Amino acid sequence: MDPYVLVGGGLTTARAAEALRTGGYDGDLVVVTTEPHHPYERPPLSKDYLRGESERDVAFPLDEAWYTEHDVAVRTGETVVGLDPAGHVLTLSDGDTLTFAKALLAPGSTPRTLDLPGADLAGVHYLRTIDDSDRISSRLLEASLEGVGRIVVIGDGWIGLEVAASARTLGLDVTVVGNGPHPLGRVLGPEMSDFYASVHTEHETRLIRDASVLAIRGADGRVTGVDLADGTHLGADVVVIGVGAAPNVGLAEAAGLDLRPAAQGGGIVVDGTLATSAPDVFAGGDVASIPSPHYGRPLRVEHWAVAQETGAHVGRAMLGATDAYDKLPYFYSDQYDVGMEYTGWVDVQAGYDDVVVSGDAGKREFVAFWRVDGLVVAGMAVNVWEQMERVEELIRSRRKVSTTELEGFVG
């Protein structure tokens, strides 16, 4: 029988391979990844690994020996450039072809770039891969040891703020440039965005809001600063750009698979088993636009838990399972001494009723709830642990929850 082929080098493919072997699949199994590494996960790349506090193996959910022991062929440094769904054939960048019985598309995302003068200077970085993290870490640690170093982070989303927190922890001078009125505003709304802003300002990170970057300046081929449209010049020895990512759907698009419009979140259309519109082709992780039974709409979420859960789910589905994916979105972030877990989903742009806080935000120990039409649609626990199951119960209950009940959530 032709092999099952898993396309991508992230956590989704690692968990899919694991689920296939655990589920009893003993046929040929091939992983194809563009990077020169076995599949790995990305959260450490902006946190402990970036700061030099963890060894490289922290990012690998399965070590290389696991693939050997379970007879999984990993083809590193190769890119799938063509998909023939009818013929069940994948074409690789080296001209080789792979005929598959079933395939998983989990190619992840690519950082959005800024078309700016100076964006190609040495010292200007994007963070997506473990090699990116190595390059940034080397420069940050070098600057930290020297006792000097100015870093400008362009973008005030999760990646930008986590990199900023890591750099500040290393003792560097850090400025974060955002183009909106609130850091994380597109995800959390102003209330909790302002909470995170206070965390960073208390750690002496400079936050610039409603800004537009005009150019990146340099000398002798190396970055020296960032110019803003209002005339502000920011000196910089390192610039990290984190302005979002785009799902890698080019392969699926060229093959004629159904895609979700960008206005609806983009990505590859899948059903509850994560099957695409092409027979025997599945999609998971960043690229999958998954119908949510709870929210009644498709969701595409670029976070660790989605990679973890969709990988395991699609592995079971490739073996014949028919249950629908029904996980609520979940993600976490660690910045300075603030640990956070979030579950649920809220369309901040469409609006919500309010945010109710239980606990003590001043002491940074609380749970925040977002409500729409009186229903809890999302919750975020900050430095309060083992609460996600209770938060999920409230979300799934689909009942109106009073302010008094929510305020008493943290005892």
Side-chain angles (χ1 to χ4, degrees):
M1 188 176 72
D2 290 326
Y4 284 12
V5 180
L6 313 178
V7 180
L11 181 60
T12 306
T13 52
R15 292 307 180 213
E18 188 176 45
L20 283 165
R21 287 305 192 222
T22 302
Y25 175 70
D26 59 3
D28 290 343
L29 181 57
V30 181
V31 173
V32 182
T33 170
T34 300
E35 295 187 55
H37 315 288
H38 281 56
Y40 63 91
E41 58 188 65
R42 304 185 190 279
L45 307 188
S46 58
K47 305 180 185 73
D48 50 325
Y49 183 70
L50 183 70
R51 296 191 297 270
E53 298 170 0
S54 299
E55 298 298 325
R56 181 174 263 225
D57 60 5
V58 72
F60 291 84
L62 302 171
D63 59 27
E64 291 188 21
W66 184 92
Y67 295 91
T68 302
E69 292 165 0
H70 291 81
D71 197 22
V72 179
V74 182
R75 299 182 63 159
T76 60
E78 298 193 41
T79 301
V80 176
V81 297
L83 164 62
D84 174 6
H88 283 54
V89 176
L90 296 166
T91 302
L92 307 184
S93 52
D94 64 1
D96 195 6
T97 59
L98 278 173
T99 303
F100 63 87
K102 295 183 181 181
L104 164 65
L105 303 183
S109 300
T110 297
R112 298 186 187 278
T113 59
L114 292 180
D115 185 14
L116 294 171
D120 58 348
L121 288 164
V124 178
H125 302 275
Y126 293 87
L127 176 56
R128 177 63 184 175
T129 70
I130 196 166
D131 294 326
D132 293 336
S133 186
D134 285 341
R135 285 186 285 269
I136 298 170
S137 177
S138 177
R139 187 66 192 97
L140 296 185
L141 292 171
E142 179 185 356
S144 177
L145 290 173
E146 293 172 352
V148 295
R150 300 163 300 170
I151 175 173
V152 172
V153 178
I154 300 174
D156 56 5
W158 292 115
I159 290 294
L161 292 189
E162 287 177 357
V163 170
S166 289
R168 191 73 196 99
T169 299
L170 292 171
L172 305 183
D173 180 279
V174 181
T175 300
V176 178
V177 179
N179 66 358
H182 306 281
L184 297 172
R186 294 181 180 86
V187 181
L188 301 181
E191 301 89 350
M192 289 299 105
S193 300
D194 285 346
F195 164 76
Y196 270 100
S198 70
V199 170
H200 281 267
T201 55
E202 286 179 21
H203 283 85
E204 300 181 339
T205 294
R206 181 184 183 189
L207 299 178
I208 299 179
R209 312 186 193 202
D210 292 314
S212 178
V213 178
L214 196 63
I216 299 174
R217 299 299 179 188
D220 300 323
R222 182 159 199 89
V223 66
T224 59
V226 175
D227 289 343
L228 304 185
D230 65 1
T232 300
H233 176 77
L234 305 170
D237 304 296
V238 181
V239 172
V240 177
I241 300 173
V243 291
N248 294 326
V249 297
L251 179 68
E253 183 176 23
L257 274 61
D258 291 346
L259 303 181
R260 193 76 63 190
Q264 298 177 22
I268 302 172
V269 174
V270 298
D271 64 16
T273 68
L274 306 187
T276 71
S277 58
D280 300 320
V281 178
F282 299 76
D286 290 1
V287 300
S289 177
I290 308 170
S292 169
H294 181 81
Y295 293 102
R297 56 156 293 165
L299 298 178
R300 189 183 68 81
V301 180
E302 298 174 1
H303 287 293
W304 171 89
V306 173
Q308 170 103 334
E309 298 293 348
T310 59
H313 190 86
V314 80
R316 294 189 295 270
M318 292 172 83
L319 293 176
T322 59
D323 54 307
Y325 185 85
D326 191 24
K327 298 288 185 181
L328 296 184
Y330 168 89
F331 63 91
Y332 68 92
S333 180
D334 297 310
Q335 300 173 40
Y336 307 111
D337 57 348
V338 175
M340 179 276 284
E341 293 181 281
Y342 178 109
T343 191
W345 179 81
V346 59
D347 186 343
V348 170
Q349 284 66 49
Y352 49 88
D353 296 347
D354 54 11
V355 178
V356 180
V357 174
S358 177
D360 193 332
K363 292 182 179 179
R364 296 178 183 163
E365 295 179 356
F366 65 90
V367 178
F369 300 92
W370 283 258
R371 290 191 296 192
V372 174
D373 296 330
L375 310 180
V376 174
V377 295
M380 180 177 79
V382 173
N383 288 342
V384 178
W385 305 107
E386 299 180 359
Q387 300 300 316
M388 287 298 98
E389 287 188 10
R390 294 179 61 208
V391 173
E392 182 169 339
E393 286 175 6
L394 283 177
I395 295 171
R396 290 191 181 276
S397 72
R398 299 182 188 273
R399 65 180 178 87
K400 293 183 183 296
V401 186
S402 70
T403 299
T404 300
E405 180 179 349
L406 292 178
E407 287 179 338
F409 185 87
V410 177

